[in-house]
């Protein structure tokens, strides 16, 4: 018997506690139930077709319905659905994936530590950087510097590294020895300044914090090349090279959280390549399997791997699913497909620049103060006054109003405060970008009509 949407919603609110959700208010409305997907489209349980401009949750890089990934999972499940990588054993997909990851990542990376998710990957980062300094006889190097409005996951360490004040307000976070500097967000901290000068200034907040703490106590700096969940905050080009210079100067490990930016999203394989820096560690998840099954991990640079291998002894850390064979088999099929279909080049040379143009065209809309993209990530800042970038009153919740119109019009776009953001599957075509931007414009018009009617302007 097929169940109705109402029956799914009733069971959902009776039993399923969703992530980052006000349970009671969702129960009143009922969830949107997604039942199938193909390419860049989803369908809900009432048969509505939706253009998924968020790639699931920043992860379905190769789009939905890729049979090669399904076949890889089925084959591996039949042959060997699980075996662990503890106790001096390994499975062939995990070994092969480690080998392939060493090929597609920047040259300093030749080793990987697998996890089940991005959050777990960042927990591994915390354990590993502290262990590294401990082995080198500098156990006092404990502090990890991150940024406000960063997102690094929802485990205790992930949420602590993240700079989301709402998350820190629940559960006694951050854990000790994690500190945050301001993000390189020009609209918030740099208006009136030249953007590149602002990028240097924002990077030097790291230097100031290092000096305030004492360089001999700082283990690492972690950042997303482009902050994703924070609202697609694209730093000025001057920012990351200066961060690199500072980390080098004080001998501080540099960690790039590539959970969103990795696997082609920014137009290179990894975001650090787009922004020109050379991390010691790189967290990945999401795009490594295009989200078809969970997998995450940390790429470990030669500098750290050498110390841990030659001097570290046993590293007392790992997960049941570190190197899960089915997840690794799917990742291998996913990376093969990204390579064979030249999806990174497709983003870099074709649809990335095309999206940039399409967003530039949207910047003529009365509500759009800033339109910016990086590869296949984009953000529109909704403002009251374009020239002055005057924000709407926070109570209006302008982003949520716009997001409501998007849902009603068959488009999934995220709202982070007043920033409307997208990160569509990398397989998107120019024609589909036109379709997406036409939907976005329609939703902006509907939001503007609301704003005029309600007197928000
Ligand atoms: N690092 C980054 C940069 C992320 O974006 C994580 C780590 C954690 O990964 P896991 O696999 O543990 O979720 C993420 C996850 C949003 C949103 O609202 C973003 C994420 C997760 C949930 C919601 O944009 N990113």
């Amino acid at each position: 018997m097929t169940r109705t949407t109402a029956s799914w919603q009733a069971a959902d609110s009776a039993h399923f506690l969703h992530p980052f959700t006000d349970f009671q208010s969702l129960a009143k409305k009922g969830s949107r139930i997604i039942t199938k997907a193909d390419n860049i489209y989803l369908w809900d349980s009432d048969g509505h077709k939706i253009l998924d401009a968020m790639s699931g949750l920043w992860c379905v890089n190769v789009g939905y319905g890729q049979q090669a990934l399904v076949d890889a999972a089925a084959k591996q499940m039949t042959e060997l659905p699980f075996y662990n990588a503890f106790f001096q054993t390994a499975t062939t997909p995990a070994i092969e994936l480690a080998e392939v990851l060493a090929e597609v990542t920047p040259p300093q990376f030749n080793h990987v530590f697998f996890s089940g998710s991005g959050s777990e990957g960042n927990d591994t980062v915390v354990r590993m950087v502290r262990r590294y300094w401990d082995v080198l006889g500098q156990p006092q190097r404990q502090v990890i510097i991150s940024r406000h409005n960063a997102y690094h996951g929802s485990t205790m360490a992930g949420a602590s590294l993240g700079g989301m004040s709402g998350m820190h307000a629940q559960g006694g976070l951050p854990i000790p020895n994690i500190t945050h500097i301001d993000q390189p967000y020009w609209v918030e901290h740099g208006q009136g300044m030249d953007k590149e000068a602002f990028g240097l200034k924002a990077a030097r907040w790291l230097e100031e914090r290092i000096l305030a703490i004492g360089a001999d106590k700082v283990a690492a700096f972690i950042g997303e090349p482009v902050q994703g969940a924070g609202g697609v905050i694209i730093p000025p080009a001057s920012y990351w090279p200066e961060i690199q210079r500072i980390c080098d100067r004080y001998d501080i490990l540099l960690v790039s959280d590539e959970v969103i930016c990795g696997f082609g999203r920014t137009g290179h394989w990894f975001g650090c390549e787009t922004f020109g820096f050379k991390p010691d560690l790189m967290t990945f998840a999401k795009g490594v399997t295009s989200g078809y099954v969970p997998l995450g991990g940390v790429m470990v640079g030669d500098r750290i791997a050498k110390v841990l291998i030659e001097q570290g002894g046993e590293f007392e850390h790992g997960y049941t699913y570190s190197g899960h064979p089915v997840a690794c088999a799917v990742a291998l099929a996913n990376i093969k497909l990204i390579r064979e279909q030249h999806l990174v080049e497709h983003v870099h040379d074709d649809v990335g620049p095309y999206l940039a143009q399409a967003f530039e065209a949207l910047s003529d809309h009365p509500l759009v103060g800033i339109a910016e993209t990086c590869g296949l990530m984009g953000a529109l800042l909704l403002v009251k006054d374009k020239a002055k970038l005057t924000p709407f009153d926070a109570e209006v919740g302008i982003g949520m109003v716009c997001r409501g119109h998007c849902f009603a019009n068959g488009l999934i776009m995220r709202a982070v405060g007043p920033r409307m953001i997208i990160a569509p599957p990398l397989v998107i075509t120019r024609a589909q970008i036109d379709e997406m931007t036409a939907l976005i414009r329609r939703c902006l018009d509907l939001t503007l009509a609301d704003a005029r009617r309600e007197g928000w302007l």
Side-chain angles (χ1 to χ4, degrees):
M1 194 189 76
T2 50
R3 289 172 77 167
T4 60
T5 298
S7 141
W8 285 119
Q9 287 172 329
D12 179 55
S13 58
H15 303 293
F16 185 0
L17 299 175
H18 294 221
F20 284 89
T21 293
D22 175 334
F23 308 125
Q24 195 174 40
S25 82
L26 179 62
K28 283 195 194 119
K29 279 197 277 188
S31 294
R32 187 175 309 100
I33 316 289
I34 303 299
T35 51
K36 64 174 190 174
D38 188 42
N39 185 241
I40 66 164
Y41 303 100
L42 304 166
W43 281 264
D44 70 14
S45 51
D46 295 324
H48 298 123
K49 185 178 177 186
I50 306 162
L51 192 159
D52 182 11
M54 280 308 300
S55 304
L57 198 50
W58 316 86
C59 51
V60 187
N61 287 13
V62 298
Y64 301 96
Q66 293 283 7
Q67 193 59 36
L69 276 65
V70 179
D71 292 344
K75 182 166 176 284
Q76 188 57 43
M77 281 209 177
T78 310
E79 271 173 22
L80 179 69
F82 179 75
Y83 200 75
N84 69 68
F86 290 56
F87 319 129
Q88 307 180 12
T89 58
T91 62
T92 58
I95 300 170
E96 204 179 327
L97 180 59
E99 205 173 25
V100 168
L101 286 170
E103 281 170 25
V104 299
T105 54
Q108 71 271 27
F109 293 114
N110 291 293
H111 295 84
V112 63
F113 196 100
F114 288 118
S115 67
S117 66
S119 300
E120 287 177 4
N122 281 326
D123 277 47
T124 298
V125 163
V126 172
R127 302 281 315 270
M128 199 175 267
V129 299
R130 290 183 175 161
R131 178 69 189 145
Y132 168 83
W133 289 114
D134 200 17
V135 172
L136 286 182
Q138 299 186 53
Q140 79 288 351
R141 279 206 191 240
Q142 289 279 316
V143 178
I144 302 174
I145 303 177
S146 179
R147 301 177 297 180
H148 296 300
N149 198 39
Y151 189 81
H152 295 297
S154 196
T155 50
M156 294 294 279
S160 297
L161 291 172
M164 301 290 180
S165 50
M167 292 175 77
H168 291 176
Q170 298 181 359
L173 300 177
I175 58 172
N177 287 319
I178 290 178
T179 180
H180 300 81
I181 58 172
D182 278 325
Q183 58 178 343
Y185 184 28
W186 180 86
V187 174
E188 191 177 46
H189 301 292
Q191 281 192 48
M193 269 185 95
D194 168 74
K195 288 218 170 107
E196 298 310 322
F198 168 68
L200 292 177
K201 178 178 168 189
R204 287 174 193 154
W205 294 330
L206 173 62
E207 189 159 31
E208 287 162 22
R209 185 63 57 89
I210 292 168
L211 294 172
I213 296 166
D216 62 330
K217 296 195 181 61
V218 179
F221 172 73
I222 184 168
E224 303 153 78
V226 173
Q227 281 152 276
V232 181
I233 308 295
I234 305 167
S238 58
Y239 180 76
W240 278 111
E242 182 67 2
I243 290 280
Q244 173 86 64
R245 183 194 67 76
I246 294 165
C247 289
D248 289 348
R249 171 155 188 208
Y250 299 98
D251 199 21
I252 283 157
L253 297 173
L254 178 51
V255 186
S256 186
D257 183 337
E258 300 268 356
V259 168
I260 284 177
C261 292
F263 299 93
R265 172 65 55 200
T266 68
H268 288 89
W269 274 90
F270 293 91
C272 58
E273 297 166 307
T274 300
F275 288 92
F277 66 102
K278 198 168 165 261
D280 298 295
L281 291 164
M282 242 173 30
T283 320
F284 63 87
K286 296 189 188 272
V288 66
T289 56
S290 286
Y292 279 48
V293 289
L295 178 69
V298 180
M299 292 307 299
V300 182
D302 291 341
R303 167 182 177 183
I304 297 174
K306 187 170 161 46
V307 169
L308 294 182
I309 293 166
E310 292 176 8
Q311 304 171 56
E314 179 167 336
F315 182 44
E316 308 253 357
H317 173 69
Y319 310 105
T320 300
Y321 299 133
S322 288
H324 191 292
V326 176
C328 292
V330 172
L332 283 166
N334 177 60
I335 293 171
K336 184 162 181 267
L337 202 146
I338 294 174
R339 283 172 143 172
E340 284 175 1
Q341 298 197 358
H342 305 291
L343 289 180
V344 181
E345 295 80 359
H346 177 64
V347 174
H348 186 271
D349 301 335
D350 189 359
V351 286
Y354 193 74
L355 179 70
Q357 275 174 29
F359 262 46
E360 178 60 36
L362 283 172
S363 67
D364 72 356
H365 193 277
L367 281 182
V368 175
I370 294 179
E372 51 190 339
T373 67
C374 174
L376 279 187
M377 306 169 94
L380 303 172
L381 174 68
L382 305 190
V383 294
K384 247 167 63 161
D385 179 323
K386 287 172 80 76
K388 299 196 190 113
L389 298 181
T390 318
F392 279 92
D393 296 343
E395 311 82 76
V396 168
I398 194 73
M400 295 307 274
V401 172
C402 185
R403 192 184 76 158
H405 287 303
C406 293
F407 279 140
N409 285 276
L411 172 69
I412 290 188
M413 195 175 185
R414 277 223 333 84
V416 179
R419 291 175 75 79
M420 297 304 299
I421 61 176
I422 57 154
L426 311 189
V427 291
I428 198 168
T429 62
R430 286 179 176 227
Q432 288 171 327
I433 289 178
D434 292 343
E435 181 191 343
M436 177 178 73
T437 43
L439 282 170
I440 294 174
R441 187 174 285 279
R442 183 193 305 167
C443 296
L444 289 172
D445 287 343
L446 291 166
T447 307
L448 180 61
D450 289 345
R452 288 193 172 133
R453 197 181 53 244
E454 302 291 333
W456 297 333
L457 282 167

